[in-house]
Amino acid sequence: AERTAFFAAIAAGYKPGDFARLAVVADTKMPISPCGACRQVIQELGGKELSIILGNLEGAREITNSEALLPAAFSP
């Protein structure tokens, strides 16, 4: 879902680096985290310091950033 959101935003005219933060929320017991493939796309299009809010429908949340979720990511 995160990759699709980024790809849709890019298709709509946004540029890599235009994003301020990303929220990832699901109906889970603990705050949900993006998969590895999404983490790579998030870092490439959102940048290392992109703020990411991980949450669930019960209101639990954690705030992190792209680099913390994927250290030493591939970078062109």
Side-chain angles (χ1 to χ4, degrees), residues 7-64:
F7 297 152
I10 296 293
Y14 289 90
K15 305 267 186 272
D18 282 351
F19 308 98
R21 70 189 54 83
L22 172 70
V24 182
V25 180
D27 188 7
T28 55
K29 291 186 181 196
M30 303 295 293
I32 190 90
S33 188
C35 74
C38 286
R39 291 177 189 208
Q40 180 65 42
V41 170
I42 290 166
Q43 194 156 126
E44 286 182 27
L45 299 179
K48 291 182 178 184
E49 297 302 317
L50 181 69
S51 179
I52 302 173
I53 303 162
L54 310 175
N56 69 12
L57 297 180
E58 296 175 10
R61 72 179 118 174
E62 297 175 19
I63 298 175
T64 188

